[in-house]
Amino acid sequence: MSLQIGPYTLPNNLVLAPMAGITDSVFRRLCYQNGAGYAVGEMLSAQTHLWDSKKSSTRFANLDDPEPRSVQLLGIDPQELAQAARLQAEQGAQIIDLNMGCPAKKVCNIAAGSALLAYPDRVEQIFKAVTEAVDVPVTVKIRTGTDPHNRNALQIAQLAEQYGLAAITIHGRTRVDKFLGQAEYDTIKRVKQAVSMPVIANGDICDAEQAQFVLEYTLADGIMIGRGALGNPWIFNQIAAYLSNKQGFSLPDAWQRYQVMRAHLEGLYQLYGEHQGVRIARKHLGWYAQHIEQGESLRRQFNRLQTTSEQTALIQQFFEI
């Protein structure tokens, strides 16, 4: 099943979620290679004076990414977001995504991310300013509301449709829920019944069976996968195979796992350099280790290493390549 966002027909309706500090261009590329139909970049502050940092520069539109290239912006000021959207579109972003779903304390303390859901008037101003500022499709990622007693995802979705946004992604939790408990899909289902724009469901989709359930229950146009892809970029091909013919998906063998992990590490070293690359590689290796036998032992050894060459050698030794 394909997914349409503005003029772009995606190869399927499986989307990699934007996760700060995780879904950089390296991880996005691996997920594309393993079946993701679309990936949204890490959130980038709309405060352009912060863009000179190395961290921000890795979050700009990457011209090597498959099209359509998407950049997610975080902010609270409509004109600031509009200006940031213009600049990113000029630099190659083909879709601008607005972050109204992040529940992190440091984000919500400045009334950004999911905290914006408490201010529908401000949300409306943002939608108006950004859609008027750029010619590329604008999308938004939200939560179901600020708390279980104030679920206003439907109101936000209707505003998004009113101002011509191209799609909306809904995580099935409220701001105060963070990532606790189980995601609920009733709100997503209600939104899908009420609007004609594409709706993408997100939250607790960690295997093929759950993906099928969410699609059938909510009637969403697509699903977004976040934590389920950590250390497991193969999940997209697994879900695609299951949805298409219900036949079992063959998990990657040791050689395939080694190839992907090695490519991931090399990409991180190239993107971030020796010092930062080693540190970020530890995080990703920890997620890969959760899916392999004797992974905990590998993780402990890996975390003690200080150089890229040591990390690469350990992975090669572990898989006996």
Side-chain angles (χ1 to χ4, degrees):
M1 181 178 176
S2 63
L3 176 64
Q4 188 80 24
I5 299 181
Y8 301 104
T9 301
L10 308 178
N12 62 44
N13 60 349
L14 308 180
V15 182
L16 173 65
M19 293 177 282
I22 299 172
T23 54
D24 51 32
S25 60
V26 181
F27 190 60
R28 294 198 303 272
R29 181 167 61 249
L30 287 175
C31 289
Y32 274 122
Q33 291 170 351
N34 287 278
Y38 176 55
V40 182
E42 303 168 89
M43 67 180 181
L44 172 68
S45 171
Q47 297 182 330
T48 56
H49 66 275
L50 301 175
W51 288 5
D52 290 335
S53 71
K54 172 65 175 175
K55 183 166 110 174
S56 290
S57 67
T58 65
R59 299 184 177 186
F60 296 166
N62 189 314
L63 299 182
D64 293 327
D65 272 2
E67 296 187 359
R69 298 180 294 267
S70 175
V71 169
Q72 186 184 72
L73 295 176
L74 175 77
I76 59 173
D77 181 83
Q79 295 309 314
E80 195 171 63
L81 280 159
Q83 173 66 3
R86 272 193 298 267
L87 292 173
Q88 284 301 311
E90 290 171 0
Q91 294 183 27
Q94 295 166 310
I95 295 177
I96 298 296
D97 188 62
L98 300 171
N99 184 321
M100 297 186 182
C102 180
K105 184 176 180 180
K106 66 179 182 180
V107 170
C108 291
N109 280 348
I110 60 170
S114 58
L116 274 169
L117 300 177
Y119 308 98
D121 290 345
R122 174 60 62 91
V123 170
E124 182 175 5
Q125 293 169 15
I126 290 171
F127 288 165
K128 183 176 187 295
V130 176
T131 54
E132 289 180 351
V134 295
D135 294 326
V136 302
V138 178
T139 61
V140 65
K141 185 171 189 281
I142 69 171
R143 287 188 163 229
T144 56
T146 54
D147 61 71
H149 303 290
N150 295 282
R151 289 194 173 102
N152 65 338
L154 178 56
Q155 178 188 13
I156 302 300
Q158 289 171 331
L159 286 173
E161 187 164 58
Q162 177 183 337
Y163 285 95
L165 270 69
I168 185 169
T169 299
I170 307 171
H171 182 108
R173 290 182 173 88
T174 66
R175 168 193 167 184
V176 299
D177 291 331
K178 296 185 178 179
F179 294 98
L180 301 175
Q182 293 183 325
E184 58 91 8
Y185 306 114
D186 289 332
T187 301
I188 301 174
K189 183 177 183 178
R190 284 194 292 271
V191 170
K192 177 57 189 170
Q193 292 171 337
V195 300
S196 59
M197 66 192 301
V199 174
I200 302 169
N202 175 230
D204 293 352
I205 304 172
C206 295
D207 56 46
E209 291 82 359
Q210 185 69 4
Q212 182 185 45
F213 167 77
V214 172
L215 282 170
E216 292 180 350
Y217 184 77
T218 65
L219 300 178
D221 302 278
I223 52 174
M224 178 176 279
I225 299 164
R227 290 174 293 168
L230 300 181
N232 185 29
W234 304 277
I235 191 172
F236 298 98
N237 274 333
Q238 181 181 15
I239 292 173
Y242 186 85
L243 293 178
S244 62
N245 56 28
K246 304 297 190 299
Q247 293 179 2
F249 170 77
S250 297
L251 292 173
D253 59 23
W255 171 251
Q256 291 169 319
R257 288 186 184 275
Y258 169 74
Q259 290 286 86
V260 168
M261 292 169 68
R262 176 68 183 268
H264 198 163
L265 296 184
E266 289 179 349
L268 293 175
Y269 303 152
Q270 182 176 0
L271 180 63
Y272 296 106
E274 173 90 13
H275 177 68
Q276 190 71 358
V278 164
R279 295 178 58 192
I280 295 175
R282 292 175 187 150
K283 175 171 59 179
H284 284 280
L285 188 282
W287 288 315
Y288 282 112
Q290 295 174 6
H291 299 277
I292 57 179
E293 188 175 350
Q294 299 182 350
E296 178 58 23
S297 174
L298 172 63
R299 184 192 66 81
R300 288 197 300 267
Q301 295 178 67
F302 195 88
N303 284 349
R304 291 196 291 266
L305 304 179
Q306 301 297 320
T307 68
T308 59
S309 58
E310 289 175 329
Q311 289 183 340
T312 301
L314 177 62
I315 295 297
Q316 184 172 342
Q317 176 186 354
F318 180 84
F319 286 100
E320 299 180 347
I321 302 301

